[in-house]
Amino acid sequence: MKQFFYIITFFAFSFSLSAQQPVKPLLTKITATWCPNCGTWGWTAMKDVVDRLHGDKASVLALHFSGDLADDLNKELASNFPAVGQPIFQNNGTDLNFTGSTYTSKLDDLESAIDSETQMINAFNITKSMLYLEAEGNLTTFDVEVEVDADNLPSGDYSISAYIVRDDIIASQSGQTGDVAHFKIVDTAISSTFGAPYVNAGTYTFEYTKEDYGPIKFDDNGMVEDLEIVIILWNNIGTNYEVVTTENSPIRETFVSNLNDVSLEVSANVFQNTQGKIEVNMSNNPDNAVTTANLFSITGRQLDSQSIENGKAYFESNNLLGRGLYIITLESEGQFTSYKVTIE
């Protein structure tokens, strides 16, 4: 069976680069798996911060400075925001002074301050992100393109960084019962830790390949679960990096392609018909070049193969794995084209 690559793309925040936007802060929780308060009121506070602010208003990260989830990346980022004790909640590196009894009112104040932000900046437009997953191998490659137009910045030493952030890291946490799913964990720096130099407006591209990344999970609509991109624009001042603004986006849409092959010049309509079958109805099949349609699960497992007869092929519902996204490939002499179909 051929090796297939999943190309997961997302498009987010397609505002005009000439339009100014309020700066989007970076909210961090300096934390550790051994810290009791991190898993009690700090756990609840973090959930509230994410639910109320992450996305349009802010980018939220959990930085593990020590403990089971600490690594060089988390330590380096956390050390950029000096803090004593854990958990420490910060806004662009400034301590928010959250405690178990005060964080609710302080979070109200923080949200009001973000909503009334008057500092404007031409910043990020995340135009493309790709995750190439070799289904029969162990390499995962992340590609991110970011359009940047920050020409209203004062003079400084600026850089741009890109991170993969996950919500599905399972580990113990003092204050919680058993192993739990930790959220907003900085998993991978696609760039170097504090990024590539920002020179002028334009497109910046980052690529990173990692071995044994682990399974990529999809929901019923073929969307990637628990995975997103966070972009930060930094200003290097002395030995520290100050946050200028951020951007974030989940990974939204999937399709399949074999990067080594040339697509066939054919077209087809692929859909779930009224009988619950997947129907392949070809409108262009020159010289009957395509004779076979193949059915794959989203994880690359081949489920069925059917002959094209009178321009059509059908996949029975008993060959499906249930609701979700499936891939159909049409193939002839080493060339192919692919389609996705969602089964309800």
Side-chain angles (χ1 to χ4, degrees):
M1 178 180 162
K2 291 187 176 181
Q3 291 184 345
F4 289 91
F5 292 78
Y6 291 91
I7 303 179
I8 298 120
T9 66
F10 69 74
F11 300 88
F13 306 102
S14 55
F15 56 79
S16 168
L17 291 178
S18 61
Q20 291 189 345
Q21 303 290 319
V23 295
K24 181 181 289 189
L26 177 68
L27 306 180
T28 53
K29 176 190 179 186
I30 309 297
T31 186
T33 55
W34 53 260
C35 165
N37 286 338
C38 298
T40 53
W41 71 262
W43 192 268
T44 305
M46 182 63 166
K47 283 184 175 292
D48 288 347
V49 169
V50 171
D51 290 344
R52 291 176 58 172
L53 300 176
H54 184 74
D56 291 340
K57 295 184 178 183
S59 296
V60 181
L61 299 178
L63 301 179
H64 282 256
F65 191 66
S66 64
D68 295 340
L69 295 181
D71 57 17
D72 290 344
L73 174 60
N74 274 259
K75 290 178 181 178
E76 191 172 3
L77 286 169
S79 65
N80 187 63
F81 305 114
V84 177
Q86 295 170 328
I88 300 294
F89 289 83
Q90 298 176 324
N91 175 10
N92 289 346
T94 299
D95 193 344
L96 290 166
N97 295 311
F98 279 9
T99 68
S101 60
T102 66
Y103 82 83
T104 301
S105 62
K106 289 181 181 295
L107 182 55
D108 291 339
D109 294 341
L110 175 62
E111 186 169 20
S112 296
I114 292 174
D115 288 342
S116 60
E117 175 63 63
T118 58
Q119 183 180 354
M120 309 294 282
I121 187 173
N122 294 341
F124 302 136
N125 182 13
I126 303 176
T127 55
K128 180 184 73 175
S129 179
M130 292 186 178
L131 183 153
Y132 297 88
L133 173 62
E134 187 174 358
E136 295 182 358
N138 65 342
L139 298 180
T140 303
T141 299
F142 300 94
D143 261 329
V144 178
E145 278 188 8
V146 184
E147 288 187 13
V148 182
D149 181 10
D151 56 5
N152 59 331
L153 293 173
S155 60
D157 181 11
Y158 296 99
S159 60
I160 306 163
S161 57
Y163 309 96
I164 298 292
V165 177
R166 302 188 72 150
D167 284 332
D168 62 347
I169 303 297
I170 305 298
S172 63
Q173 174 61 58
S174 180
Q176 294 285 310
T177 302
D179 289 346
V180 291
H182 292 252
F183 44 96
K184 299 300 172 241
I185 302 296
V186 185
D187 181 79
T188 302
I190 307 176
S191 60
S192 61
T193 300
F194 294 102
Y198 173 73
V199 179
N200 48 39
T203 299
Y204 291 75
T205 302
F206 304 101
E207 181 178 297
Y208 182 87
T209 299
K210 190 170 185 178
E211 291 185 295
D212 300 319
Y213 188 74
I216 302 298
K217 299 180 295 181
F218 300 85
D219 63 20
D220 289 340
N221 296 314
M223 307 306 180
V224 180
E225 292 182 347
D226 304 322
L227 198 65
E228 65 182 324
I229 302 289
V230 170
I231 309 291
I232 302 176
L233 180 64
W234 304 94
N235 186 15
N236 184 206
I237 299 177
T239 60
N240 282 78
Y241 289 84
E242 293 187 353
V243 177
V244 179
T245 190
T246 72
E247 192 54 278
N248 57 76
S249 178
I251 297 176
R252 301 177 187 276
E253 298 183 4
T254 67
F255 64 93
V256 169
S257 178
N258 185 322
L259 303 180
N260 298 319
D261 290 340
V262 179
S263 294
L264 287 168
E265 293 183 359
V266 299
S267 58
N269 186 19
V270 179
F271 58 96
Q272 183 181 21
N273 64 23
T274 55
Q275 289 77 43
K277 303 176 182 179
I278 295 179
E279 181 174 332
V280 180
N281 193 331
M282 300 194 65
S283 59
N284 176 28
N285 188 10
D287 302 321
N288 295 315
V290 180
T291 59
T292 304
N294 301 303
L295 172 68
F296 293 88
S297 72
I298 193 61
T299 60
R301 174 185 168 192
Q302 186 166 356
L303 303 175
D304 197 7
S305 181
Q306 293 291 330
S307 298
I308 303 289
E309 297 181 1
N310 299 319
K312 294 183 179 182
Y314 299 91
F315 295 97
E316 300 288 342
S317 58
N318 59 6
N319 287 323
L320 304 178
L321 301 177
R323 296 173 60 238
L325 187 71
Y326 293 85
I327 304 301
I328 305 297
T329 65
L330 307 176
E331 189 171 356
S332 176
E333 297 181 353
Q335 297 182 340
F336 85 101
T337 190
S338 59
Y339 299 83
K340 65 180 179 179
V341 59
T342 300
I343 301 303
E344 302 295 340

